[in-house]
Amino acid sequence: MPAQVISGTEIAKQIREELKEEIAGLKEQHNLVPGLVTVLVGEDPASQVYVGAKEKTSKALGLYSERHDLAADTSEEALLALISRLNNDPKIHGILVQLPLPKHINETRVLYAIDPRKDVDGFHPVNLGKLMIGEPDYLPCTPHGIQQLLVRSGIEIEGAEVVVVGRSNIVGKPIANILLQKKEGANATVTVCHTRTRDISAHTRRADIIIVAAGRPKAITADMVKEGVVVIDVGVNRIGKTAEGKSILVGDVDFEAVKEKARAITPVPGGVGPMTITMLMLNTVKAAKLAAGLI
Ligand code: GUN
């Protein structure tokens, strides 16, 4: 039987409705407006689209939103000075520096400079360390979105064999840590595969849940999965343009073939993508509540 297609668009919409209500309540009861700032260095077209979407969603939900677009040749010192100013601005509860940064800027140094209390991306080593010991303040947005997709689709994670393909700091490593936690919506047995894994198929074929962030179209094909698997596709690959000049996007999974064997699968677009921004909004609301002593 063909798989249930998990709609990230629909689940993200549900969570945004919940957040919108919570944000209105914070304003009414505490005169608190969560504030998010996005910082974009350079003119990478994909990053411009992402930052634009983050700004639009912030405004739609009733957040205070600020955007800083800096020239591609901005110095690291100037960027660090801006972050320092934003760290000390009480209107701002969340700071998002869009990655990747231009080559002349040291990404690690920039991520370290963000006050961990305002690190709504969850990329600061303090926040990643807290996740590692099971005491997270902010979960990284894409992995958190993946967990919510699974939980809200009624997929049993506890005790499941989860295989993650890809070991990036943004997706692979944090999703492995999240699903490993001794908590509800986690408690899985997690394996992480990567470019030096000897036989990826041997792992994916025994998985109950596969999470793919490999950055390559058709990294997962039908012969690599078992009947009844749940597949979460994090890939965003631009493989060409339509006649109207729009990018054609595909994920990392051979969707049409794998869907015939899977119990549930996420599409690209409309799967993980819409969840990332939604989780950023959720972290910003949490940051504001933490700053105001409400939690
Ligand atoms: N670039 C790609 N994904 C992300 C993300 O989740 N956050 C930031 N800051 N940059 C990104």
Side-chain angles (χ1 to χ4, degrees):
M1 203 171 66
Q4 164 199 356
V5 177
I6 299 175
S7 171
T9 308
E10 278 307 309
I11 295 173
K13 208 165 120 192
Q14 264 174 32
I15 301 174
R16 285 179 201 187
E17 288 305 319
E18 293 163 18
L19 282 173
K20 207 169 164 179
E21 251 179 59
E22 186 176 4
I23 292 162
L26 287 173
K27 170 98 172 105
E28 209 171 282
Q29 289 160 31
H30 303 282
N31 200 26
L32 176 63
V33 180
L36 174 68
V37 60
T38 53
V39 180
L40 173 64
V41 186
E43 277 137 31
D44 177 63
S47 292
Q48 281 177 333
V49 171
Y50 290 137
V51 167
K54 286 164 187 171
E55 196 187 18
K56 195 172 144 213
T57 310
S58 307
K59 287 185 176 153
L61 296 190
L63 300 185
Y64 170 71
S65 158
E66 214 175 276
R67 174 170 171 171
H68 294 262
D69 285 357
L70 309 179
D73 63 353
T74 298
S75 67
E76 188 175 303
E77 288 67 31
L79 178 58
L80 291 174
L82 172 64
I83 291 172
S84 170
R85 186 162 71 64
L86 296 168
N87 278 341
N88 292 305
D89 181 342
K91 290 193 302 305
I92 300 297
H93 303 99
I95 300 172
L96 180 132
V97 178
Q98 186 66 28
L99 304 178
L101 288 165
K103 295 261 178 297
H104 67 279
I105 296 179
N106 181 323
E107 213 158 85
T108 307
R109 215 175 287 152
V110 170
L111 294 179
Y112 270 62
I114 297 170
D115 184 333
R117 290 169 298 186
K118 297 193 176 188
D119 169 40
V120 285
D121 252 332
F123 291 165
H124 193 286
V126 164
N127 288 319
L128 288 169
K130 283 182 158 182
L131 165 60
M132 182 103 179
I133 61 166
E135 299 285 337
D137 283 331
Y138 305 113
L139 294 175
C141 302
T142 300
H144 192 194
I146 294 168
Q147 186 193 32
Q148 283 298 309
L149 282 178
L150 292 169
V151 169
R152 289 180 184 243
S153 303
I155 287 153
E156 181 76 29
I157 302 173
E158 179 148 332
E161 291 286 340
V162 174
V163 171
V164 177
V165 182
R167 58 176 154 186
S168 69
N169 290 336
I170 292 183
V171 182
K173 285 182 202 159
I175 189 62
N177 268 287
I178 289 172
L179 298 182
L180 194 59
Q181 293 183 103
K182 201 169 182 174
K183 286 192 180 157
E184 246 180 76
N187 270 320
T189 302
V190 185
T191 305
V192 182
C193 297
H194 49 77
T195 45
R196 292 291 177 271
T197 298
R198 226 178 292 141
D199 182 358
I200 291 184
S201 292
H203 297 281
T204 54
R205 264 193 231 117
R206 58 167 185 74
D208 302 312
I209 301 172
I210 304 176
I211 298 166
V212 195
R216 188 162 51 83
K218 300 201 177 168
I220 299 296
T221 48
D223 59 305
M224 296 172 73
V225 308
K226 72 175 182 188
E227 288 284 341
V229 69
V230 173
V231 181
I232 305 290
D233 189 350
V234 192
V236 183
N237 303 294
R238 290 177 168 74
I239 56 162
K241 294 209 177 217
T242 62
E244 298 84 48
K246 274 186 86 175
S247 290
I248 301 169
L249 296 183
V250 297
D252 291 349
V253 175
D254 184 355
F255 180 83
E256 290 305 327
V258 172
K259 140 166 127 4
E260 297 305 316
K261 281 178 96 174
R263 177 181 145 208
I265 186 166
T266 60
V268 177
V272 173
M275 295 298 288
T276 298
I277 295 180
T278 304
M279 294 302 122
L280 177 69
M281 304 298 134
L282 183 128
N283 278 349
T284 305
V285 171
K286 185 169 187 188
K289 290 199 294 187
L290 281 168
L294 296 174
I295 49 175

